[in-house]
Amino acid sequence: MIMAYIDVSMPIHPQMMVYKNKPEKKPIFIQDNKLELGQSCETIITMNVHTGTHMDFPLHMMIGGKTSTDFDPNELIRRVKVLTILNTDKILAEHLMGYDLQAGDFILLKTDNSLSDTFSFSFTYLTKEAAEYAVNKKLAGIGIDALGIERDQPNHPTHSILMAANIFILEGLRLQAVEQGEYEMIALPLSMNGCDGLPMRVMLQEVK
Ligand SMILES: [Zn+2]
């Protein structure tokens, strides 16, 4: 029997949860429906590329950084490890040390963020020290169930440290239905050039 994939992406719609609940970050859908005139229905969507489940490219935080044009989509069709780290609003290096992480591992962090569908200003994030630990461990990527991988750290060191080491960053995952363990991931952003971030569909299949 083929195991179904679990969709861990956030549906995109005008009322969805956005970073810090900022109105300008809500996607705008304008539907031009001319079906009753015998024509077509087409929707124009205006939205930030960091909406919902998305990946960050280095240009997001680094002058002259790499963009979506430089990204090979084969990179995110791969094995990942989901780590459950609850009851804390900060992921520290110590939390990651509790796992047997190997060079090349791609981890997805399931935190208290996955237990709520509203934006929390005290969302769980990855600290600078944990990012440094990830670099030392030579991780390939980190995904988190928050709309940002860090908060309240001046100059965004978590982003910068991970990006400088070419560690992929996925944000806005929805992991409430996923248990800790190993999964095959299919995570594909649209093929759009020159972007600092891109929304993506992320699917996980448990590895038995
Ligand atoms: Zn982002």
Side-chain angles (χ1 to χ4, degrees):
M1 190 184 94
I2 296 172
M3 293 272 297
Y5 277 81
I6 305 166
D7 188 351
V8 295
S9 327
M10 199 181 293
I12 293 174
H13 58 84
Q15 292 79 36
M16 70 186 292
M17 168 170 58
V18 294
Y19 192 70
K20 294 191 174 174
N21 296 327
K22 290 182 177 177
E24 68 272 23
K25 290 192 184 276
K26 298 257 188 198
I28 299 167
F29 284 48
I30 300 172
Q31 191 183 71
D32 186 18
N33 189 338
K34 295 201 179 78
L35 291 173
E36 290 185 355
L37 300 173
Q39 297 177 26
S40 60
C41 179
E42 297 188 0
T43 302
I44 294 172
I45 298 173
T46 302
M47 67 178 212
N48 189 303
V49 291
H50 299 267
T51 300
T53 308
H54 68 279
M55 67 184 293
D56 281 356
F57 297 98
L59 181 63
H60 183 42
M61 293 293 178
M62 300 170 80
I63 294 168
K66 288 185 177 177
T67 73
S68 54
T69 310
D70 305 299
F71 170 69
D72 175 355
N74 285 288
E75 297 278 7
L76 298 186
I77 301 173
R78 55 162 299 142
R79 182 74 59 96
V80 296
K81 292 179 175 173
V82 173
L83 315 184
T84 301
I85 301 172
L86 301 175
N87 303 314
T88 180
D89 67 346
K90 289 182 185 59
I91 296 177
L92 309 169
E94 287 74 16
H95 289 113
L96 301 182
M97 284 172 199
Y99 293 92
D100 179 27
L101 298 178
Q102 307 294 325
D105 278 352
F106 198 120
I107 60 173
L108 306 184
L109 301 169
K110 177 179 180 178
T111 75
D112 292 338
N113 300 329
S114 275
L115 309 180
S116 168
D117 287 324
T118 55
F119 183 82
S120 168
F121 283 81
S122 57
F123 68 85
T124 305
Y125 71 99
L126 189 77
T127 60
K128 168 180 176 285
E129 291 77 18
E132 285 165 347
Y133 181 77
V135 172
N136 290 335
K137 276 283 175 186
K138 298 185 165 56
L139 298 188
I142 302 183
I144 192 163
D145 53 1
L147 288 171
I149 199 166
E150 69 182 308
R151 64 174 167 82
D152 300 336
Q153 297 188 123
N155 302 318
H156 313 294
T158 295
H159 278 89
S160 306
I161 289 165
L162 297 177
M163 287 170 169
N166 293 313
I167 296 176
F168 291 109
I169 300 172
L170 310 186
E171 297 173 326
L173 298 169
R174 297 276 77 201
L175 299 172
Q176 61 271 56
V178 177
E179 303 296 327
Q180 179 164 296
E182 292 202 23
Y183 293 82
E184 288 296 337
M185 176 174 78
I186 299 175
L188 291 172
L190 289 180
S191 183
M192 296 176 74
N193 288 352
C195 293
D196 48 83
L198 278 178
M200 62 194 323
R201 194 86 185 229
V202 182
M203 308 291 288
L204 298 180
Q205 185 185 52
E206 194 174 359
V207 176
K208 289 285 184 188

